[in-house]
Amino acid sequence: MKLLSFIADGRTSFGAVKDDGVVDLGARMAADGCTTLRRLLETGRLADAAKLAASVAPDHPLDKITFAPVIPDPGKIICVGLNYRDHVAETGRSVTEKPALFARFACSQVGHLQSIVKPDVSDDFDYEASSRSSSARKAAASRQAVRSTTSPAMPATTKAASATGSGTPASSSPARPSQKAAALARGW
């Protein structure tokens, strides 16, 4: 199940990708206290969401939504610098037992395929892309872990990822709807 946060018809919600559309889980689960994707993960209700998404038709076509940051209301975002060997090698550094940690802020994130604004004081974008993911098992097993981190391991069957704003350069206009469908077909 691919999860996302989105804006449609002037309303922010979260949902699951189904075929070429989105099942609006936020509209269907708000009465149960799941008003955001973060809250869904904190309450360990992924199985309920999957069952619901499988039982209904999509509410919105993918080409009619605007992607929001996956978790638009994070408690905190802690990133690990040089977190994979290829990146360490390409920078000419050596692997360290104590990697650099740094904070990201909610306002520095953008939704999938949304424009990234480069500050006038910068010459280039940082070409290192970032993503966040959440594990269904860890969310159910340890709600505290989900509250305190945004990047535990994830099973292959559950995906929730988004560009965080430090990734590859984007155009000054949002992506065309056909690009959204193509990106989803590639699995983001």
Side-chain angles (χ1 to χ4, degrees), residues 44-60:
R45 306 269 317 274
L46 279 174
D48 295 337
K51 185 176 177 181
L52 179 59
S55 69
V56 298
D59 299 294
H60 308 283

Side-chain angles (χ1 to χ4, degrees), residues 3-6 8 13 22 37 48 74 98 106 109 133 139-140 150 157 160 178:
L3 299 171
L4 70 156
S5 292
F6 66 94
S13 191
V22 176
L37 182 52
D48 295 337
K98 298 178 182 177
Q109 300 179 84
S133 60
T150 57
T157 58
S178 61

